[in-house]
Amino acid sequence: DNFVKRNLIDVGNKNEKITTQVFKIEILSYTASQSKVKAFARREEEDKIYNQELEVKLVKIGEEWLVDSVEWK
């Protein structure tokens, strides 16, 4: 599946702004064709600032690494 298409459903109907900065990344697994990383992020949403972890699964297609899924923890 296409990650962007799966996650753009009804995006036009939402009015929110979240700024996210990743300050650390750990490689959880890696092969020649796929990888999983854990990212540690600081997020700012309206007047709230908080830290949150996420796991990102990547797949290699040709010479490019593409996002397959993102899971916020």
Side-chain angles (χ1 to χ4, degrees):
D1 269 12
N2 186 310
F3 176 80
V4 174
K5 287 181 184 177
R6 288 193 318 258
N7 289 283
L8 281 179
I9 298 170
D10 294 327
V11 77
N13 298 331
K14 296 182 181 178
N15 187 17
E16 64 181 329
K17 178 182 173 185
I18 300 174
T19 302
T20 304
Q21 294 180 321
V22 173
F23 56 90
K24 181 179 175 184
I25 294 177
E26 292 179 1
I27 298 173
L28 301 176
S29 63
Y30 177 82
T31 67
S33 62
Q34 57 188 0
S35 179
K36 187 189 318 185
V37 298
K38 181 187 281 189
F40 300 86
R42 171 154 293 164
R43 305 185 84 196
E44 184 176 345
E45 180 179 4
E46 295 181 17
D47 59 352
K48 297 185 297 185
I49 297 175
Y50 54 97
N51 294 330
Q52 191 169 8
E53 295 178 12
L54 66 146
E55 285 187 7
V56 181
K57 292 181 183 175
L58 303 159
V59 293
K60 188 171 186 182
I61 299 182
E63 294 299 314
E64 295 184 318
W65 285 94
L66 303 175
V67 173
D68 186 46
S69 67
V70 175
E71 182 181 345
W72 289 97
K73 301 290 183 171

